[in-house]
């Protein structure tokens, strides 16, 4: 096999056969990732020693058959050795990196998913920066140890999940894929009711969340057949849910959101939050503040909403996957021997998002209280009775920009309140909705989400959130100096909304996220979120635009004029589509619905 060996200095990967082949000391080294892996951790036995295990030719046979089908001449060669040794895999196919949330100064880099050689250089660099400077130079949230919690440490969970993870290494990855193992771990009290009504589920931080609701007369494709990069089979279902959110009223179970209570005997809670958050938290009791929890560079460690329950107590709502990270950040900055009390109350409350113009009618009827804007203004919080249940925290916000209310319900009342809402809501056209509808609504309204659009290297000034920063609120806060510098010198990237102009939703590949953005033919960034906008009847992408010097490719200040003067394209799998850039949401189109052909996209250009 001399010719083969001369050509095989780099590895060959046969994804269909699930094998790799490379030159090795004058011979051939081949291995693969079988569909039926064997976990080393078995019930009643814990093999920690990293050593060669016994040969298992029966288990290796499918991979050997793939190798011989790919290279039939290998049948004449001698197999010198079958190496069988353990390898580490994580619950989501991504390595684990970062500082422990419970032991300050203890850093971890592990779980390389059989890619340690290719990831080692970059992972080592970022971990070293983290240890020396306190943060890495790039956003590595997807690898951060704090994306996991104690719930992912169950041996049974790990055993089942890694048996699913390993075969996926050579499988085609499609958008919106959900793991099938380790499910129904964390559920809302409403799970069975929603499941019986056609809910299809996704998992976030171990929590089951409804994607959409399949009507009784609708048949969807089987799981394997529904994998696509094109228009998905749930398109019409989500469209009807979005339409109901805009014209009537919908209910979305959002119990998975992280919820903390911060209290103190004196003013310590207020002083603590004022130092940690960029907005002014010293608001009247019952008011809600949207704010960022920033790092020293001005980047988002968390994006959240805080309601002031009384003079010394605050209720904090954060994204689902922030539960461990946010807790660790708060504990890290809490004064020693203070009178502060920090409590994770995520499990105590079921959260229902009541979205739509008729939400006010439903809640008014259930609470016997006027819920109009005159009586219950925007960003207001009040404990009320809903049906028979007392102590429901009602907040006039929906995380979508649509009218409505969030209801934070003690879990023992959850089923009763849900039943009452659905019963009273029938006359107003109420229906269940899921997170896919929520995603479409928030992207149409140009709402950024932490972990998708915002990260530790993104500042409020770069994404149009200056109103959530109070530089002159009377006291210092983490990140203030960095924001003052940025305000003086300008931003080097800017969060932009793109509306695709010539994209055929039925025939073209869809944008999902991560697509390159081109301005006047030059690469300037990539998308961070995308969804079909059912009101605009076009695809909407959100992403950051940079201004690279044509000569040196160094980053320069991005101004509104730079954005407005460009011609933009979004590259979807090698095909570029024209897009109109916008600095602000398309408010007029949400007031009066227009036909697609009547929309002059030139009028939507950023102002």
């Amino acid at each position: 096999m001399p010719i083969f060996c001369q050509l095989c200095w780099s590895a060959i990967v046969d994804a269909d056969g699930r094998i790799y082949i490379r030159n090795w000391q004058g011979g051939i080294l081949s291995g693969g990732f079988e569909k039926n892996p064997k976990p080393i951790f078995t019930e009643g036995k814990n093999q920690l020693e990293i050593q060669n295990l016994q040969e298992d030719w029966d288990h290796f046979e499918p991979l050997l058959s793939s190798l011989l089908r790919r290279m039939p001449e290998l049948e004449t060669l001698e197999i010198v050795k079958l190496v069988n040794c353990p390898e580490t895999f994580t619950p989501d196919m991504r390595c684990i990196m970062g500082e422990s949330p419970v032991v300050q100064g203890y850093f971890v880099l592990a779980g390389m998913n059989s890619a340690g050689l290719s990831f080692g250089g970059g992972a080592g660099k970022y971990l070293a920066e983290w240890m020396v400077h306190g943060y890495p130079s790039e956003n590595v949230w997807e690898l951060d140890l704090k994306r996991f919690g104690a719930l992912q440490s169950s041996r049974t969970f790990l055993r089942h999940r890694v048996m699913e993870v390993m075969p996926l290494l050579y499988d085609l990855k499609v958008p919106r894929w959900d793991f099938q193992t380790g499910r129904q771990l964390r559920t809302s009290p409403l799970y069975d009711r929603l499941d019986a009504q056609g809910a299809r589920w996704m998992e976030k931080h171990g929590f089951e969340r409804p994607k959409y609701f399949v009507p009784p007369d609708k048949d969807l494709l089987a799981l394997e057949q529904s994998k696509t990069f094109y228009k998905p089979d749930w398109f019409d279902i989500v469209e009807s849910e979005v339409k109901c959110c805009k014209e009537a009223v919908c209910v979305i179970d959002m119990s998975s959101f992280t919820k903390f209570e911060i209290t103190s005997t004196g003013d310590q809670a207020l002083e603590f939050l004022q130092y940690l958050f960029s907005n002014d938290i010293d608001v009247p009791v019952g008011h809600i503040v949207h704010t960022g929890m920033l790092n020293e560079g001005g980047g988002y460690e968390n994006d959240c909403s805080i309601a002031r329950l009384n003079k010394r107590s605050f209720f904090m709502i954060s994204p689902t996957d922030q539960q461990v990270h946010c807790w660790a950040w708060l504990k890290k900055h809490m004064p020693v021997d203070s009178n502060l009390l920090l409590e994770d109350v995520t499990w105590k409350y079921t959260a229902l998002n009541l979205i739509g113009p008729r939400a006010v009618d439903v809640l008014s009827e259930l609470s016997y209280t006027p819920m109009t804007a005159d009586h219950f203004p925007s960003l207001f919080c009040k404990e009320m009775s809903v049906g028979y249940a007392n102590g429901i925290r009602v907040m006039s916000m929906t995380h979508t920009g649509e009218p409505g209310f969030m209801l934070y319900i003690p879990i023992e009342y959850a089923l009763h309140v849900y039943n009452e809402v659905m019963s009273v809501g029938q006359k107003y056209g109420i229906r269940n909705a899921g997170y896919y509808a929520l995603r479409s609504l928030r992207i149409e309204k140009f709402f950024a989400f932490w972990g998708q659009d915002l990260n530790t290297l993104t500042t409020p000034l770069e994404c149009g959130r200056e109103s959530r920063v109070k530089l002159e609120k009377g006291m210092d806060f983490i990140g203030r100096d960095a924001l003052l510098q940025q305000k003086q010198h300008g931003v080097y990237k800017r969060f932009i909304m793109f509306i695709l102009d010539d994209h055929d939703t039925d025939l073209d590949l869809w944008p999902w996220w991560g697509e390159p953005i081109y301005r006047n033919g030059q690469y300037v960034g990539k998308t961070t979120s995308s969804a079909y906008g059912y009101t605009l009847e076009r695809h909407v992408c959100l992403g950051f635009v940079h201004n690279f010097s044509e000569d040196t490719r160094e980053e320069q200040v991005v101004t509104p004029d730079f954005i407005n003067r460009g011609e933009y394209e979004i590259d979807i799998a090698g095909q570029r589509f024209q897009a109109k850039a916008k600095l602000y949401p398309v408010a007029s189109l949400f007031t009066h619905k227009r036909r697609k052909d009547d929309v002059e996209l030139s009028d939507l250009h950023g102002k």
Side-chain angles (χ1 to χ4, degrees), residues 66-131:
S66 295
L67 174 62
L68 296 179
R69 280 196 302 271
R70 179 59 59 192
M71 303 176 64
E73 294 186 25
L74 292 184
E75 289 194 27
T76 62
L77 299 185
E78 175 189 2
I79 298 179
V80 177
K81 188 178 183 181
L82 176 62
V83 178
N84 185 18
C85 60
E87 177 61 285
T88 58
F89 293 87
T90 62
D92 61 359
M93 286 192 295
R94 300 192 295 266
C95 74
I96 296 172
M97 175 192 300
E99 186 176 11
S100 165
V102 293
V103 182
Q104 191 169 342
Y106 183 86
F107 288 84
V108 176
L109 179 56
M112 304 306 287
N113 298 280
S114 197
L117 288 177
S118 55
F119 288 166
K125 171 190 175 183
Y126 295 133
L127 186 67
E129 292 173 346
W130 211 329
M131 297 171 70

Side-chain angles (χ1 to χ4, degrees), residues 268 271-272 275 330-340:
Q268 297 94 335
E271 295 170 357
F272 176 61
Y275 176 65
L330 291 169
K331 295 293 287 186
K332 181 179 180 179
H333 291 87
M334 281 183 65
V336 180
D337 299 328
S338 70
N339 292 319
L340 282 170

Side-chain angles (χ1 to χ4, degrees), residues 39 47 88 160 183 303 305 318 362 399 407 470 496 542 544 578 606:
Q47 295 176 290
T88 58
H160 293 169
R183 298 296 297 271
D303 181 49
S305 302
S318 301
V362 174
H399 303 286
L407 279 61
K470 299 297 184 289
I496 303 297
L542 309 181
F544 285 92
Q578 294 180 355

Side-chain angles (χ1 to χ4, degrees), residues 427-559:
K427 70 182 75 170
Y428 303 110
I430 198 168
R431 64 175 293 172
N432 292 299
Y435 274 79
Y436 284 9
L438 182 80
R439 181 185 181 89
S440 176
L441 290 168
R442 72 95 175 167
I443 288 178
E444 276 193 332
K445 285 295 179 72
F446 202 0
F447 279 22
F449 266 26
W450 195 94
Q452 299 175 35
D453 310 301
L454 310 178
N455 58 51
T456 56
L457 301 179
T458 306
T459 75
L461 305 189
E462 295 168 345
C463 56
R465 294 189 168 197
E466 293 89 347
S467 62
R468 302 186 181 189
V469 176
K470 299 297 184 289
L471 294 171
E472 308 303 329
K473 65 178 180 178
M475 68 174 296
D476 193 17
F477 60 87
I478 298 176
R480 181 175 181 271
D481 291 342
L483 295 184
L484 285 171
Q485 289 288 323
Q486 197 172 60
K487 185 177 181 180
Q488 179 180 354
H489 299 295
V491 298
Y492 288 85
K493 62 181 178 183
R494 192 176 287 268
F495 194 52
I496 303 297
M497 179 180 185
F498 295 95
I499 303 172
L500 297 192
D501 197 358
D502 57 348
H503 183 270
D504 190 316
T505 303
D506 294 318
L507 300 178
D508 292 325
L509 286 162
W510 275 30
W512 296 98
W513 63 273
E515 289 82 17
I517 302 169
Y518 290 87
R519 177 186 181 274
N520 299 341
Q522 299 296 316
Y523 172 80
V524 291
K526 63 180 181 180
T527 64
T528 53
S529 289
S530 62
Y532 184 79
Y534 292 96
T535 307
L536 295 171
E537 297 183 355
R538 280 171 168 79
H539 258 101
V540 180
C541 299
L542 309 181
F544 285 92
V545 168
H546 302 252
N547 180 6
F548 298 110
S549 167
E550 293 185 6
D551 299 326
T552 65
R553 301 304 294 169
E554 291 183 356
E555 289 194 83
Q556 303 176 120
V557 171
V558 179
T559 63

